[in-house]
Amino acid sequence: MNADSSNNRTLRRLDDFAEAGLLPPGADAAKLGEVARQFSLALSPELAKRIGGSPCSDPVALQFVPDVRELTVDFRELADPIGDDFHSPLKGIVHRYPDRVLLKPTHSCAVYCRFCFRREKVGPGEETLRDPELDAAIAYIEARPAIWEVILTGGDPLVLPPPRLAAMIRRLAAIPHVEVIRIHSRVPVVTPERITPELLQALRCHKAVWCVVHVNAVAEIGPAAVSSLAAMVDAGIPLLSQSVLLKGVNDSAAALEALFRRLCGLRIKPYYLHHPDLVRGTSHFRVSLEQGQEIMRQLRGDLSGIAQPTYILDIPGGAGKVPCGPAYLRPLADGSWEVEDPSGKTHHYPG
Ligand SMILES: *Cc1c(COP(=O)(O)O)cnc(C)c1O
Ligand code: SF4
């Protein structure tokens, strides 16, 4: 393997990570092998280029380089952390809220995040919905007029070949009650070369197509991602972002402020900051709710409102997503309120 080709292919095997100098010296090969056996590996060339510091502390490396700590399972961690299975009436569909469904056309991604909330399903086999399964999923949506929005997720829908994506978008857009098609993807940042004119054409339809880009650290966003994101906005696709709060990656007000300012500068509205889910083998990434609330409190006031995401907890077991603070209002016994301002001072508000 010469240096050129190794710069241009996705790292998928432990040997690839070792050759790229990303595994710590003296790493336990047997344990890392077990990690790789349990959970898929992939790091795109674009993101490998974005790793600047030591793999043990670099915010990009930490998200993708396998770690023996993934074998440590906390008893509170779950195989189905947000209860997808409970709300899945048929293959490829998760229907938890009346007005919107998830449609998961593939379990494949461009990269495999070590903290992935669907890591038990995403990766292994890289399964894609077969034609009859996709037909059944679309028939399910067609038969339910309450479904206003279809959320394409997975896996990563933007790894599908553009013709296949175009056909799917066309069929969804043709359903009269579907007004919004939302795509959740990491592709524009991690494999920006996939955002081709053909792919943008595939997303073009007479319904609103929104895209929520998954990005956790400002260091992930290189020049190629900047161009691809601009091409998407220029193609008329409103962009939102979602990030996961992760220890060592972005668990400080300064790291998140830098990320959210950068995103707004790229015409991307920070949408959700997810509290980390109780995923198997991810306790080394976990931050407490108190820490997350404290970070959000620091951001409020110092950071423009358009750069503020909602801090979100997905309740384990499938009960749904809720904003998780911090709270600024406390009810008083007489029906009035105590309100905290961004500097921490309290005020009284009449009932
Ligand atoms: C997260 C999620 C959604 C989308 O929720 P929003 O709050 O609208 O972003 C929809 N359905 C399911 C099953 C989800 O897990
Ligand atoms: S891109 Fe999303 S679905 Fe894919 S591995 Fe990362 S977190 Fe999981």
Side-chain angles (χ1 to χ4, degrees):
M1 190 65 55
N2 64 40
D4 269 0
S5 63
S6 67
N7 280 341
N8 284 313
R9 72 196 162 91
T10 295
L11 313 183
R12 291 190 179 273
R13 299 171 311 128
L14 276 179
D15 287 350
D16 300 334
F17 284 83
E19 273 170 37
L22 291 174
L23 297 182
D28 186 328
K31 282 190 175 167
L32 280 176
E34 181 56 23
V35 171
R37 204 187 57 73
Q38 289 192 27
F39 306 113
S40 300
L41 305 178
L43 174 60
S44 63
E46 175 62 25
L47 272 198
K49 276 195 284 191
R50 314 299 315 154
I51 297 176
S54 151
C56 307
S57 58
D58 181 89
V60 179
L62 283 171
Q63 297 182 62
F64 303 101
V65 176
D67 188 308
V68 295
R69 289 174 294 179
E70 292 172 52
L71 297 176
T72 306
V73 178
D74 182 293
F75 70 97
R76 286 160 291 204
E77 293 173 348
L78 306 166
D80 180 21
I82 62 169
D84 280 348
D85 293 343
F86 185 72
H87 293 286
S88 181
L90 74 167
K91 202 162 172 186
I93 293 273
V94 183
H95 196 183
R96 180 203 278 160
Y97 306 105
D99 77 330
R100 54 209 193 277
V101 286
L102 307 186
L103 173 56
K104 302 191 287 180
T106 176
H107 277 160
S108 165
C109 290
V111 288
Y112 288 117
C113 312
R114 307 322 299 160
F115 50 86
C116 174
F117 66 125
R118 294 205 177 100
R119 68 186 322 197
E120 312 281 345
K121 296 206 178 71
V122 164
E126 306 205 316
E127 193 188 8
T128 294
L129 278 193
R130 292 168 214 281
D131 286 339
E133 291 165 343
L134 182 64
D135 292 347
I138 290 178
Y140 178 91
I141 297 166
E142 279 168 342
R144 286 166 179 77
I147 298 175
W148 168 84
E149 180 183 26
V150 177
I151 302 170
L152 296 177
T153 178
D156 197 317
L158 296 188
V159 303
L160 293 173
R164 193 170 165 80
L165 201 54
M168 198 181 314
I169 298 276
R170 216 178 308 118
R171 291 175 72 184
L172 293 171
I175 303 172
H177 52 268
V178 172
E179 281 191 50
V180 174
I181 299 169
R182 186 199 318 181
I183 297 169
H184 280 225
S185 178
R186 236 198 200 282
V187 160
V189 172
V190 304
T191 49
E193 68 279 6
R194 281 185 184 268
I195 308 298
T196 57
E198 190 192 8
L199 183 120
L200 293 173
Q201 189 57 38
L203 301 182
R204 200 175 289 277
C205 68
H206 67 289
K207 297 289 177 68
V209 176
W210 292 61
C211 185
V212 180
V213 178
H214 175 180
V215 53
N216 301 318
V218 75
E220 290 168 46
I221 307 170
V226 168
S227 304
S228 293
L229 293 162
M232 293 179 83
V233 181
D234 290 345
I237 303 167
L239 295 187
L240 304 173
S241 70
Q242 60 174 339
S243 308
V244 185
L245 181 59
L246 298 165
K247 190 192 275 183
V249 174
N250 60 13
D251 61 334
S252 72
L256 289 174
E257 177 179 335
L259 174 63
F260 299 147
R261 286 195 193 280
R262 183 89 176 106
L263 290 169
C264 285
L266 298 172
R267 298 179 284 172
I268 304 170
K269 164 78 185 99
Y271 173 52
Y272 279 172
L273 174 66
H274 292 275
H275 189 70
D277 293 316
L278 295 171
V279 184
R280 213 156 55 91
T282 61
S283 55
H284 53 296
F285 284 117
R286 204 150 302 130
V287 174
S288 70
L289 272 169
E290 289 85 348
Q291 285 168 292
Q293 291 179 338
E294 181 49 34
I295 290 171
M296 289 304 292
R297 196 182 287 283
Q298 288 172 25
L299 292 178
R300 176 61 59 185
D302 288 350
L303 176 64
S304 165
I306 64 167
Q308 303 269 350
T310 305
Y311 180 35
I312 285 284
L313 177 69
D314 213 324
I315 303 168
K321 293 183 180 68
V322 288
C324 54
Y328 294 90
L329 285 161
R330 273 172 293 278
L332 300 175
D334 66 357
S336 68
W337 298 85
E338 187 181 74
V339 192
E340 190 180 329
D341 71 23
S343 73
K345 281 206 289 282
T346 55
H347 306 265
H348 187 252
Y349 188 83

